[in-house]
Amino acid sequence: MCGIVAAITNGLDARASVLHGLKTLEYRGYDSAGMAVHTGDSKLAVRRKMGKIANLEAELASNALPESDQVIAHTRWATHGAPADRNAHPHTDDGGEIVVVHNGIIENYLDLRAELVADGHVFLSDTDTEVLANLIARHMRNGNGGIDLHTAVRTALTEVHGAYALVAMCATEPGTLVVARQDSPLIVGVGDAAHYAASDMPALLHLTRDFVALENGESAILHADKMQLCSASGDWIERETTLCDWTPEQAEKGGYPHFMLKEIEEQPDVLARTAFDRFHDTEGDVVFEDTFTLTDADLRALRRIRFMAMGTSSHSAMIGRWLLAEFAELPGETLNASEFLYSPILPENDTLTVIVSQSGETADSLRAMRELQKRGGRILGICNVQGSTLAREADDLILTHCGPEVGVASTKAFFGQVTALYLLAIRVGRARGVLSTERGLELLHDLRTLRPKLDSLFAPEAMAAVRQAAAFLATVPSCLFLGRGLQHPIALEGALKLKEISYIHAEGYPAGEMKHGPIALIDEHFPVVVLATPDRTYEKMISNIEEVRARSGKVIAVGVAGDQQVQNAADYFLPVPEVPPYLAPLVNVIPLQQLSYEVALALGRDIDQPRNLAKSVTVE
Ligand code: F6R
């Protein structure tokens, strides 16, 4: 939430490359955007505009900022203060000497603001960030010329409660940017005679692939030719850069009209990248990288497994719980990470907690992780972003290799997570002696042969069926998604996708619940999307379809191609290839993603940046 980009170079104008990076980060918020430059003559210049980055670009075209080798920029997801020009970042202090971009929430900003107002400071916005700028300025002024920007930032931050990632620049200290973080993500990119900072790696991939991630409490001074990293306790420290294996092309649309469509179509490759290199083709087992340190003995000692996540990731976590029970006979539970903190559950020594997160920066999930670690719990992270907070702080890690996910609605990340969870189930099942080598080999074979089967989901006939159903769905105000067993999380995911990008109200339910209340909604206008592929719930799903039809409801059914029973019963039929039932979630989710996409397209919605949302929810 909120995206930050900054650059300091050796004389090269950095405005265009920072703007490019900012556009890559627009998924983090699009309520307003702004940019500030150091003009080289002990002055700062700022441009800010409410709305998307396109509005800022238009402003910059008519009211250009001077060329500069020191540029900071921000795209905002509003927390304190409504979307408005005056609340857009960057914010300066009232003397125009300090300029700051910030992601996070300063919880005690009202108290600090009152103190600063009593001191004579004047505020022009409703934001907590303007408080930060003035606080830093106050410390610099009080320093009688003896306090530099970094010291002033560090001193100001001792007074602040809350979460922040920030970049500050000072008119009278050219050649320096100061960055700091606490509970909001910030990475530093190391270039050729240049340093950069950003909330997320995709923003900088066109400039560098060498990164240093800041840990909580750390700050840094960035010059064009060097970076000085400072620990939370104030010591200067060294840290090696990490090479990111994402490419700049992966963060571009590559000819697609929307990132979401590109990312849906990338899913067969995600299967290959996340799974195939980890297969042990003679042992029927899975080999993870050395970030996964759980030994066979550790896995055998487990009695329970707990999954925690938010949103789409919590739907893959539900599938993970099922797979671990099925293939490793390890019972478990799935918890909403934000609710965990209020639950009385305590970790037992023989419990492993798996935290699933695309970004690795979701505040609720990180808070749950840290709380459990404090209580002595062991955390396995399943994450798409190398170097993210979850990836660094979890005790063990499985990276999904989805490449950067830019569309706000998560698609390929879900697919990568479920794939990783299959691998985990096989590994744990093998370690615990539940799966034989032969069964392990069968499961690997099923996964490997899934990839070509996915092609039919993108064939013109399949897409035509999706578009027909979407044309109808786009006309309704509300609908239900039903699934049983392993298909229940897919029903939840289908409903979440539809509501977030089309703004049509949708609820996912375990199909058995329909008769316990939701059935009252059904009439001749009401659509129900059912997941009816063959597994042990099939007959019951057919009964659910009949119950909907008996009340004249409209049925959109996901079923195996050629299944006449489901096809004849449905008003709209979305065909999928037949796969072993335990792999059906990976297949069935795709037409539901396509359905939401087509509905949102038909309604003219902003597919990649739906209203009110932002990718990577870094505040609780
Ligand atoms: C929905 C979506 C969100 C995220 C959720 C968790 O399409 O993207 O529900 O799944 O905010 O995010 P991560 O996975 O980054 O922890």
Side-chain angles (χ1 to χ4, degrees):
M1 273 169 165
C2 295
I4 290 175
V5 188
I8 184 157
T9 71
N10 217 347
L12 271 182
D13 180 22
R15 293 170 307 164
S17 52
V18 167
L19 190 64
H20 179 104
L22 197 65
K23 285 191 203 158
T24 315
L25 279 195
E26 195 162 28
Y27 57 77
R28 297 182 63 91
Y30 23 87
D31 289 329
S32 62
M35 181 183 275
V37 300
H38 197 290
T39 62
D41 55 357
S42 294
K43 287 207 177 63
L44 303 170
V46 183
R47 302 285 183 272
R48 310 181 299 176
K49 220 60 207 157
M50 179 176 155
K52 292 197 168 198
I53 296 172
N55 296 359
L56 173 68
E57 261 186 304
E59 168 72 9
L60 291 172
S62 59
N63 186 14
L65 281 167
E67 281 189 13
S68 176
D69 58 3
Q70 231 180 297
V71 183
I72 67 177
H74 187 272
T75 182
R76 176 169 189 246
W77 187 84
T79 57
H80 293 58
D85 286 356
R86 73 172 195 294
N87 288 330
H89 297 218
H91 287 282
T92 55
D93 71 300
D94 56 1
E97 194 189 351
I98 304 290
V99 65
V100 177
V101 287
H102 163 227
N103 166 28
I105 293 182
I106 306 301
E107 284 160 6
N108 57 337
Y109 87 106
L110 283 176
D111 293 345
L112 292 170
R113 184 174 162 132
E115 253 179 56
L116 288 159
V117 168
D119 249 14
H121 287 267
V122 178
F123 285 85
L124 303 174
S125 80
D126 313 314
T127 66
D128 48 347
T129 305
E130 197 183 6
V131 168
L132 264 180
N134 280 286
L135 208 54
I136 296 167
R138 181 169 75 170
H139 284 295
M140 283 200 85
R141 283 179 211 145
N142 289 352
N144 298 325
I147 287 195
D148 60 15
L149 178 63
H150 179 246
T151 313
V153 167
R154 276 182 44 82
T155 315
L157 291 176
T158 59
E159 294 169 53
V160 156
H161 306 156
Y164 53 80
L166 67 86
V167 186
M169 183 159 75
C170 174
T172 53
E173 212 174 301
T176 306
L177 296 178
V178 170
V179 299
R181 81 158 278 204
Q182 176 68 43
D183 290 337
S184 291
L186 195 77
I187 44 129
V188 172
V190 181
D192 201 8
H195 281 87
Y196 311 101
S199 306
D200 255 349
M201 287 186 289
L204 302 180
L205 289 174
H206 62 301
L207 298 165
T208 183
R209 287 167 70 189
D210 290 320
F211 293 100
V212 173
L214 257 62
E215 301 291 348
N216 266 342
E218 290 181 350
S219 57
I221 308 176
L222 306 185
H223 303 291
D225 55 356
K226 70 171 180 195
M227 157 176 163
Q228 292 165 276
L229 184 60
C230 181
S231 72
S233 55
D235 300 316
W236 297 112
I237 48 179
E238 299 287 331
R239 184 166 303 146
E240 293 286 307
T241 57
T242 309
L243 181 69
C244 171
D245 60 8
W246 290 353
T247 63
E249 295 71 39
Q250 286 180 306
E252 306 287 343
K253 270 193 211 152
Y256 284 86
H258 298 99
F259 278 108
M260 183 178 178
L261 186 62
K262 175 180 178 240
E263 289 163 1
I264 290 173
E265 294 195 7
E266 279 173 0
Q267 292 176 114
D269 290 343
V270 168
L271 172 67
R273 287 203 302 265
T274 299
F276 296 171
D277 285 349
R278 288 164 164 162
F279 287 1
H280 195 310
D281 281 320
T282 48
E283 288 295 315
D285 204 339
V286 164
V287 183
F288 291 118
E289 300 68 32
D290 53 13
T291 54
F292 184 92
T293 61
L294 287 149
T295 62
D296 282 11
D298 293 333
L299 297 172
R300 275 197 295 272
L302 292 176
R303 292 291 161 265
R304 286 173 69 240
I305 188 155
R306 173 188 295 127
F307 291 87
M308 283 202 282
M310 298 300 290
T312 286
S313 298
S314 67
H315 302 149
S316 43
M318 289 169 76
I319 294 170
R321 184 196 65 77
W322 192 97
L323 295 173
L324 267 290
E326 175 81 9
F327 295 127
E329 293 177 5
L330 189 56
E333 61 185 353
T334 312
L335 292 178
N336 177 286
S338 69
E339 286 297 308
F340 166 75
L341 296 168
Y342 316 116
S343 83
I345 299 158
L346 293 171
E348 298 91 44
N349 293 337
D350 47 13
T351 300
L352 175 69
T353 298
V354 182
I355 299 214
V356 187
S357 172
Q358 186 285 130
S359 61
E361 300 293 352
T362 297
D364 293 304
S365 304
L366 294 181
R367 175 116 190 258
M369 167 179 72
R370 289 175 181 146
E371 184 56 36
L372 263 171
Q373 282 174 325
K374 248 193 265 163
R375 298 186 203 171
R378 183 163 184 175
I379 306 291
L380 166 62
I382 295 192
C383 182
N384 189 41
V385 182
Q386 177 199 8
S388 62
T389 305
L390 175 63
R392 295 197 314 278
E393 293 187 15
D395 304 287
D396 293 279
L397 175 70
I398 302 173
L399 277 177
T400 56
H401 294 294
C402 308
E405 188 178 65
V406 180
V408 164
S410 189
T411 53
K412 65 174 179 175
F414 173 84
F415 195 96
Q417 290 164 354
V418 176
T419 304
L421 287 161
Y422 283 123
L423 301 186
L424 178 66
I426 295 170
R427 176 76 277 275
V428 181
R430 291 288 289 122
R432 292 165 70 85
V434 177
L435 291 179
S436 63
T437 309
E438 292 67 36
R439 184 68 183 128
L441 286 170
E442 272 169 27
L443 296 177
L444 297 186
H445 172 81
D446 289 346
L447 272 170
R448 203 185 286 282
T449 50
L450 176 63
R451 190 182 183 189
K453 292 185 185 160
L454 296 175
D455 289 346
S456 68
L457 294 165
F458 303 97
E461 317 79 76
M463 288 309 301
V466 167
R467 282 192 196 106
Q468 251 186 340
F472 162 63
L473 210 50
T475 64
V476 306
S478 180
C479 70
L480 277 183
F481 284 70
L482 300 179
R484 288 175 187 257
L486 255 188
Q487 302 307 325
H488 170 221
I490 299 301
L492 298 180
E493 178 58 9
L496 177 60
K497 285 292 89 91
L498 186 68
K499 71 184 130 195
E500 70 181 324
I501 61 166
S502 74
Y503 318 146
I504 291 175
H505 173 251
E507 294 294 337
Y509 266 97
E513 272 288 321
M514 185 177 77
K515 291 194 278 296
H516 298 270
I519 199 164
L521 293 166
I522 296 171
D523 62 16
E524 68 275 24
H525 308 294
F526 194 85
V528 182
V529 182
V530 291
L531 292 149
T533 47
D535 62 16
R536 58 189 179 225
T537 72
Y538 181 75
E539 296 302 331
K540 290 210 164 54
M541 288 309 300
I542 300 288
S543 304
N544 283 125
I545 293 177
E546 293 306 332
E547 287 154 8
V548 174
R549 273 161 53 93
R551 284 150 188 89
S552 307
K554 295 276 179 288
V555 174
I556 299 173
V558 175
V560 164
D563 183 336
Q564 292 304 323
Q565 193 176 7
V566 175
Q567 184 161 3
N568 293 339
D571 297 279
Y572 300 93
F573 180 66
L574 307 182
V576 293
E578 182 154 19
V579 296
Y582 78 97
L583 286 180
L586 284 179
V587 170
N588 294 355
V589 75
I590 293 177
L592 298 190
Q593 296 166 342
Q594 293 166 327
L595 187 64
S596 310
Y597 176 83
E598 292 294 338
V599 172
L601 194 65
L603 292 172
R605 303 296 193 224
D606 192 344
I607 293 180
D608 282 336
Q609 290 164 359
R611 70 183 180 203
N612 303 338
L613 282 166
K615 205 165 182 68
S616 195
V617 183
T618 52
V619 293
E620 281 176 56

